[in-house]
Every structure is written in structure tokens, then in C-alpha cells.
Amino acid sequence: MTKSLTITRPDDWHLHLRDGAMLRAILPETARHFARAIIMPNLMPPVVTGAQALAYRDRILAALPAGMSFEPLMTLYLTEDSNTEDIAAAHANGLIKAVKLYPAGATTNSASGVSDFSKVFGILEKMAEIGLPLCVHGEVTDHNIDIFDREAIFIDRVLEPIRSSIPELRIIMEHITTSDGVDYVRENEANLAATITTHHLIINRNHILVGGIKPHYYCLPVAKREEHRLALRIAATSGDNRFFLGTDSAPHVDTLKENACGCAGCFTASNTMALLAHVFEEDQSLNHLEAFASQNGPAFYGMPLNNDTITLTKSDTPTNFPSKIYAGEEKVTVFDPGFPVYWSVT
Ligand code: NCD
Ligand code: ZN
């Protein structure tokens, strides 16, 4: 029995596209299904200025295969030395759609991030005034704080003080991984939303650690206990417009993942939509997939919905996703959910 579902073409509200050969290899994986994506600025060196964002945007568009369309929604990487006028100008001319806050040291290429949040308060006030949203990697980086507690403590120590001082600032808590994140978004009526990744709806920390360490399930923020995964499932599949898809698809070559000090990141761009159809069907919520993947994000960012559609089809036999994508000679492993998936984008 085949079953199909047609939805407004989705967008990805948190994506790592990298640069060079990796960019060329992975961009089609996103552009095949998604119309737009919020592009993370954590390159080496990071995308800090409007000029750097413009140049990166040109490299992305140059890497897009002929015949494909895709709109990269650029962001700037916030540092303690960021220039308020440059950020405001990049927003005014339509180049950037958000600014990204990485606590220094929180994740891949975040060394230039913020240590002293008081140093960026003036910029955040300006962003609130001009209506430029802040995307937040919500983990504290204090060495004394257990990695599994870093999101909850970030909410208390960093996010709540920012929100109470600058309530008009529109904030996206990116890739939330805990029920604390879900509850915090639910308690706040305005100017706060969260993205949820595909992989955090599927794996908990046992998947990473039980029966041998699984480097391809290691990402940041790290997957938490099962109760947290279930809270994310309820939030994502509820239709609540404060929760939407940000895949955080973050490719690293296999040699750097399968390594004594393996990089964080799951690469989900290729099969995300099929996996989401599986998840939403399992939770009897296929009717809310369009809200999560295609409607709630544009609504929060104040952008129009895409005017074309994609169709997801469920067949009797499992879908064969590619297990690797090749970036030159190097391989990138596609996220394996660990169960058969019968959905595909047709
Ligand atoms: C991201 C990356 O590799 O750039 N890794 C990850 O595990 N998600 C960085 C990030 O978004 O934290
Ligand atoms: Zn990310």
C-alpha cells in the first residue's frame, strides 16, 4: 500500500554548509528538498562581517548545480569585537537574517565566540530595535558543568538574563535537546522559539554509548536521556508554532569522526524529510509535519511560505538512502536512524 503526503516545500532553519569541496558535495543534498536554509557562520575563520557573509553567499550560489534553486539565508557570527553598524547595515540591505551567538568554546569552531555577555549587550539592544533575530547555541561552557546539564544551566544563567533585560529581542534557541528547553519556550509567549533537529527526535544518549561508541551519533549539544527525547517529540509533533525544523546537519569527513578525538556533528541533509515523515507518522501527527518543516519557521522569521511543494511517499519496501556522500576523495557518513524507513521524497 502506498501512502503519500504533499506539503509546502520545507526550509532548514539551522544548517552547516561548510566551504570548498565539502560545500560542493553537500549543497545538492539540501537543495534537493529545501528551498531556503539559515546558514551557520562557523567557518575557519568565522563569518563575522557583512563583507564576509556576502562573499560566502556568493561561494554558496556558485556551488549550486545548474537547474537547482536554493536561497541561503546568511548569518553573522557574534564576537565580543563585532561592529554594531556593520551588523545593522547587513540587515538593512537584506543580506543577513540573523546573528549567531556561540558561547566561546561550546562547539566546532567556536573559539571566537562570546565569553563576557555584557560585552555584546549593546549589539543585542540594537538588534532588538531593528528586528534582527538572535540564534543561540544554548550551552554554557564552564568546565565544572557536566555536559548533560549545560543546556538547562544556560537557560538560567545566560538566556533568562538577556530576555528579561531585552524582552523585544527575538531569540531562536537552536537545536534544543532537553525538556528544560521545551518548557522554557512554552512558558514564554512572545519573541522566543526553538529549532529541533531530526536526529534528536530519533536518538538518545544510549544510542551513542551502549554497545560500543558510535561516533556518527556524536553531536553538540549531545543527545540526552530518553525522557528528553520524548519531550522533543511531543513539542515537534504538536503543531505549536514556536517549534520548527533546524536540522543542524553538520558534515565532517569520516576520518575526523572515526577518530580518537572525533568531531561533533550528524549529517542528516540527505534523509531528513523521510525520517521526519517516519517520526511524525509514528506519533500519529503527519498532519503537523508541514507546520514543523514548512510553516512555523517562516512565520517566526517574518518570511513568506514557499510557493511550491514536495511530496513524500511511503512504499512497501525500505528506502535505500546513500550511506556515504563523497567530498572529493573523502567520505561523509549519512545519518543512519538504525531502523528501516519506508518514506522518501518523490
Ligand atoms: C556543529 C559543527 O560541526 O559545525 N556540530 C554539531 O555537533 N552540531 C557545530 C554546532 O552547531 O554545534
Ligand atoms: Zn549547528
PDB file of all heavy atoms in Angstrom, residues 179-191:
ATOM      1  N   SER A 179      13.949  18.619  27.988  1.00  0.00           N
ATOM      2  CA  SER A 179      12.609  19.083  28.368  1.00  0.00           C
ATOM      3  C   SER A 179      12.696  20.469  28.994  1.00  0.00           C
ATOM      4  O   SER A 179      11.744  21.245  28.929  1.00  0.00           O
ATOM      5  CB  SER A 179      11.944  18.092  29.326  1.00  0.00           C
ATOM      6  OG  SER A 179      12.720  17.971  30.492  1.00  0.00           O
ATOM      7  N   ASP A 180      13.860  20.821  29.556  1.00  0.00           N
ATOM      8  CA  ASP A 180      14.026  22.181  30.107  1.00  0.00           C
ATOM      9  C   ASP A 180      13.894  23.212  28.982  1.00  0.00           C
ATOM     10  O   ASP A 180      13.263  24.256  29.166  1.00  0.00           O
ATOM     11  CB  ASP A 180      15.417  22.339  30.750  1.00  0.00           C
ATOM     12  CG  ASP A 180      15.702  21.229  31.739  1.00  0.00           C
ATOM     13  OD1 ASP A 180      16.186  20.163  31.291  1.00  0.00           O
ATOM     14  OD2 ASP A 180      15.417  21.400  32.920  1.00  0.00           O
ATOM     15  N   GLY A 181      14.518  22.924  27.841  1.00  0.00           N
ATOM     16  CA  GLY A 181      14.419  23.825  26.688  1.00  0.00           C
ATOM     17  C   GLY A 181      12.979  23.926  26.197  1.00  0.00           C
ATOM     18  O   GLY A 181      12.475  25.016  25.922  1.00  0.00           O
ATOM     19  N   VAL A 182      12.315  22.774  26.093  1.00  0.00           N
ATOM     20  CA  VAL A 182      10.915  22.758  25.642  1.00  0.00           C
ATOM     21  C   VAL A 182      10.050  23.581  26.595  1.00  0.00           C
ATOM     22  O   VAL A 182       9.264  24.440  26.169  1.00  0.00           O
ATOM     23  CB  VAL A 182      10.392  21.302  25.567  1.00  0.00           C
ATOM     24  CG1 VAL A 182       8.875  21.274  25.357  1.00  0.00           C
ATOM     25  CG2 VAL A 182      11.110  20.528  24.469  1.00  0.00           C
ATOM     26  N   ASP A 183      10.224  23.351  27.896  1.00  0.00           N
ATOM     27  CA  ASP A 183       9.381  24.054  28.885  1.00  0.00           C
ATOM     28  C   ASP A 183       9.649  25.554  28.842  1.00  0.00           C
ATOM     29  O   ASP A 183       8.717  26.354  28.952  1.00  0.00           O
ATOM     30  CB  ASP A 183       9.668  23.541  30.304  1.00  0.00           C
ATOM     31  CG  ASP A 183       9.200  22.104  30.482  1.00  0.00           C
ATOM     32  OD1 ASP A 183       8.412  21.628  29.631  1.00  0.00           O
ATOM     33  OD2 ASP A 183       9.634  21.455  31.456  1.00  0.00           O
ATOM     34  N   TYR A 184      10.902  25.934  28.701  1.00  0.00           N
ATOM     35  CA  TYR A 184      11.232  27.359  28.707  1.00  0.00           C
ATOM     36  C   TYR A 184      10.558  28.067  27.524  1.00  0.00           C
ATOM     37  O   TYR A 184      10.029  29.168  27.671  1.00  0.00           O
ATOM     38  CB  TYR A 184      12.751  27.562  28.666  1.00  0.00           C
ATOM     39  CG  TYR A 184      13.141  29.007  28.832  1.00  0.00           C
ATOM     40  CD1 TYR A 184      12.959  29.662  30.059  1.00  0.00           C
ATOM     41  CD2 TYR A 184      13.656  29.736  27.767  1.00  0.00           C
ATOM     42  CE1 TYR A 184      13.289  30.996  30.210  1.00  0.00           C
ATOM     43  CE2 TYR A 184      13.991  31.080  27.925  1.00  0.00           C
ATOM     44  CZ  TYR A 184      13.807  31.712  29.142  1.00  0.00           C
ATOM     45  OH  TYR A 184      14.124  33.032  29.281  1.00  0.00           O
ATOM     46  N   VAL A 185      10.565  27.426  26.368  1.00  0.00           N
ATOM     47  CA  VAL A 185       9.900  28.031  25.200  1.00  0.00           C
ATOM     48  C   VAL A 185       8.397  28.112  25.453  1.00  0.00           C
ATOM     49  O   VAL A 185       7.764  29.141  25.194  1.00  0.00           O
ATOM     50  CB  VAL A 185      10.204  27.223  23.920  1.00  0.00           C
ATOM     51  CG1 VAL A 185       9.353  27.710  22.749  1.00  0.00           C
ATOM     52  CG2 VAL A 185      11.683  27.351  23.570  1.00  0.00           C
ATOM     53  N   ARG A 186       7.836  27.049  26.004  1.00  0.00           N
ATOM     54  CA  ARG A 186       6.377  27.033  26.225  1.00  0.00           C
ATOM     55  C   ARG A 186       5.927  28.088  27.228  1.00  0.00           C
ATOM     56  O   ARG A 186       4.824  28.616  27.122  1.00  0.00           O
ATOM     57  CB  ARG A 186       5.938  25.661  26.745  1.00  0.00           C
ATOM     58  CG  ARG A 186       5.931  24.604  25.681  1.00  0.00           C
ATOM     59  CD  ARG A 186       4.703  23.700  25.844  1.00  0.00           C
ATOM     60  NE  ARG A 186       4.775  22.560  24.937  1.00  0.00           N
ATOM     61  CZ  ARG A 186       5.329  21.395  25.270  1.00  0.00           C
ATOM     62  NH1 ARG A 186       5.837  21.202  26.472  1.00  0.00           N
ATOM     63  NH2 ARG A 186       5.355  20.421  24.386  1.00  0.00           N
ATOM     64  N   GLU A 187       6.794  28.402  28.204  1.00  0.00           N
ATOM     65  CA  GLU A 187       6.408  29.371  29.246  1.00  0.00           C
ATOM     66  C   GLU A 187       6.401  30.806  28.746  1.00  0.00           C
ATOM     67  O   GLU A 187       5.940  31.699  29.439  1.00  0.00           O
ATOM     68  CB  GLU A 187       7.434  29.333  30.407  1.00  0.00           C
ATOM     69  CG  GLU A 187       7.292  28.164  31.331  1.00  0.00           C
ATOM     70  CD  GLU A 187       8.612  27.900  32.093  1.00  0.00           C
ATOM     71  OE1 GLU A 187       9.483  28.803  32.128  1.00  0.00           O
ATOM     72  OE2 GLU A 187       8.746  26.786  32.625  1.00  0.00           O
ATOM     73  N   ASN A 188       7.015  31.042  27.578  1.00  0.00           N
ATOM     74  CA  ASN A 188       7.185  32.409  27.098  1.00  0.00           C
ATOM     75  C   ASN A 188       6.283  32.652  25.897  1.00  0.00           C
ATOM     76  O   ASN A 188       6.346  31.916  24.920  1.00  0.00           O
ATOM     77  CB  ASN A 188       8.647  32.652  26.738  1.00  0.00           C
ATOM     78  CG  ASN A 188       9.505  32.774  27.984  1.00  0.00           C
ATOM     79  OD1 ASN A 188       9.663  33.847  28.532  1.00  0.00           O
ATOM     80  ND2 ASN A 188      10.019  31.637  28.465  1.00  0.00           N
ATOM     81  N   GLU A 189       5.515  33.694  25.982  1.00  0.00           N
ATOM     82  CA  GLU A 189       4.505  33.944  24.950  1.00  0.00           C
ATOM     83  C   GLU A 189       5.098  34.530  23.677  1.00  0.00           C
ATOM     84  O   GLU A 189       4.671  34.199  22.583  1.00  0.00           O
ATOM     85  CB  GLU A 189       3.444  34.910  25.486  1.00  0.00           C
ATOM     86  CG  GLU A 189       2.433  34.263  26.415  1.00  0.00           C
ATOM     87  CD  GLU A 189       1.686  33.121  25.755  1.00  0.00           C
ATOM     88  OE1 GLU A 189       1.173  33.324  24.635  1.00  0.00           O
ATOM     89  OE2 GLU A 189       1.632  32.025  26.353  1.00  0.00           O
ATOM     90  N   ALA A 190       6.071  35.445  23.819  1.00  0.00           N
ATOM     91  CA  ALA A 190       6.463  36.221  22.637  1.00  0.00           C
ATOM     92  C   ALA A 190       7.966  36.218  22.441  1.00  0.00           C
ATOM     93  O   ALA A 190       8.742  36.097  23.393  1.00  0.00           O
ATOM     94  CB  ALA A 190       5.990  37.663  22.784  1.00  0.00           C
ATOM     95  N   ASN A 191       8.369  36.362  21.188  1.00  0.00           N
ATOM     96  CA  ASN A 191       9.766  36.617  20.807  1.00  0.00           C
ATOM     97  C   ASN A 191      10.718  35.477  21.141  1.00  0.00           C
ATOM     98  O   ASN A 191      11.926  35.679  21.209  1.00  0.00           O
ATOM     99  CB  ASN A 191      10.290  37.918  21.445  1.00  0.00           C
ATOM    100  CG  ASN A 191       9.514  39.132  20.962  1.00  0.00           C
ATOM    101  OD1 ASN A 191       8.917  39.084  19.893  1.00  0.00           O
ATOM    102  ND2 ASN A 191       9.498  40.193  21.746  1.00  0.00           N
TER     103      ASN A 191
END
